Amino acid sequence: MIIAMLKDTLKDKIKSYIKDNNINKYINIDGNFDVDFLAQGEYNVNFIVYDQKNKYVFRVNTNSQLQLDNQIKYEYDALKKLEISGVTPKVYFLDDSKNYINYGILIMEYLNGRPLEYNKDLRKSAKIFSNIHSIDTTKGDFSNFIIEENILSDRINEGERLLNTYMKSDIVDKSQKEFFYSFLNWCKENKDKEKYFRQDKWHVINNTEVNSHNFIIGEKESFLIDWEKPVISDPCQDITQFLAPTTTLWKADYVLSKEEKEIFFKEYIARLDEDKNIKERVHLYTPYLYLRALSWCAYAFIEYQDPNKDIKNMDTFKKIKQYLDIDFMRNLLKDYI
């Protein structure tokens, strides 16, 4: 009900907003345009604005996963820096005033294609990652990005923040609390491995949300979309997340085989100017990626109990509960803990 009300309210406002604010100065669209709902995330609602010749994505941001005061500008600035990669959407317009619509707004390129299919598109995804990870973040001004120097400590701090309310909640099973308590302790005891990343620093732009539905696979070109929370950090952030079952099961109910992972690594490495042992980096980072994924599920589980949450996706809630199953979590970490 909340989703339907928000979508319907926004759709009506968007049409008036575009007309009243002369947005056709920024995008190539005639007066007989229309607006349709496209898709939603946990903190964004997306619409298509289109006429007979052109289509654009009108993105409305409702909250920030990064606790930023100006989430939509962060995303807009990131997309501008990423355009050089050729595998991210172009962005045309930003309104962070919240004057007309009570949310941040950006308008970007509409890309034709389908979601990524793991059994078909690993080489295409490797090309996308290598293009993005080849952007030299030491040249030019990348000061607008959040930079993560201490990749394992950052995951621990993030996990503690996300788990705070969950661990205090009366509706959470004792065995789940005990699991997270032990998991956090293990991560803290092993965080000295972080020196590996400091001693051989490799910083690139990471998307941090690389599930299959954030890829657009086209007939000729393919893209990575949804740049809500990028950071500059080690590329193992995105590569680990992309390959992990917590990601591949999220939208596609798929688990990559060792052979498929090798296909991906081979293609990714071949397209880089230099490989600083991405496989070892992924191995070290994997349990900390699981801490992020599972802690976010714990946080979201509590959030979904709030009747006033702007966006609720029941498919997402189903996955959250699946991932928080104690046997599922223990199986993920059986090679580490």
Side-chain angles (χ1 to χ4, degrees), residues 184-200:
L184 267 171
N185 279 343
W186 182 92
C187 289
K188 290 174 182 178
E189 289 167 1
N190 288 273
K191 74 172 185 177
D192 62 317
K193 295 175 182 176
E194 192 167 69
K195 63 186 178 185
Y196 178 96
F197 301 100
R198 289 198 298 265
Q199 290 170 355
D200 189 18

Side-chain angles (χ1 to χ4, degrees), residues 125-126 128-130 133 202 204-208 210 215 234-244 247-248 256 261 264-265 268-269 272 278-279 281-283 285-286 289:
S125 63
I128 290 170
F129 281 120
S130 62
H133 293 172
W202 182 10
V204 303
I205 302 173
N206 287 265
N207 174 279
T208 74
V210 289
F215 289 83
D234 196 281
C236 71
Q237 273 218 54
D238 270 358
I239 303 304
T240 306
Q241 184 179 14
F242 177 74
L243 299 173
T247 304
T248 61
L256 292 165
K261 290 180 182 180
F264 174 87
F265 278 125
Y268 173 76
I269 292 167
L272 296 174
I278 188 64
K279 292 183 184 180
R281 292 171 185 268
V282 166
H283 176 74
Y285 183 64
T286 292
L289 179 276

Side-chain angles (χ1 to χ4, degrees), residues 103-157:
Y103 300 107
I105 294 164
L106 64 78
I107 301 176
M108 58 186 167
E109 182 180 16
Y110 176 85
L111 299 167
N112 287 301
R114 58 169 173 80
L116 178 139
E117 296 177 36
Y118 292 104
N119 62 334
K120 295 180 180 179
D121 303 320
L122 286 177
R123 288 185 172 86
K124 291 178 180 177
S125 63
K127 177 187 175 182
I128 290 170
F129 281 120
S130 62
N131 279 23
I132 293 166
H133 293 172
S134 295
I135 295 173
D136 189 347
T137 58
T138 67
K139 297 178 180 177
D141 183 8
F142 288 83
S143 60
N144 56 300
F145 283 88
I146 292 170
I147 299 173
E148 292 191 341
E149 298 279 2
N150 304 307
I151 192 169
L152 305 189
S153 298
D154 286 337
R155 294 293 77 77
I156 292 168
N157 294 337

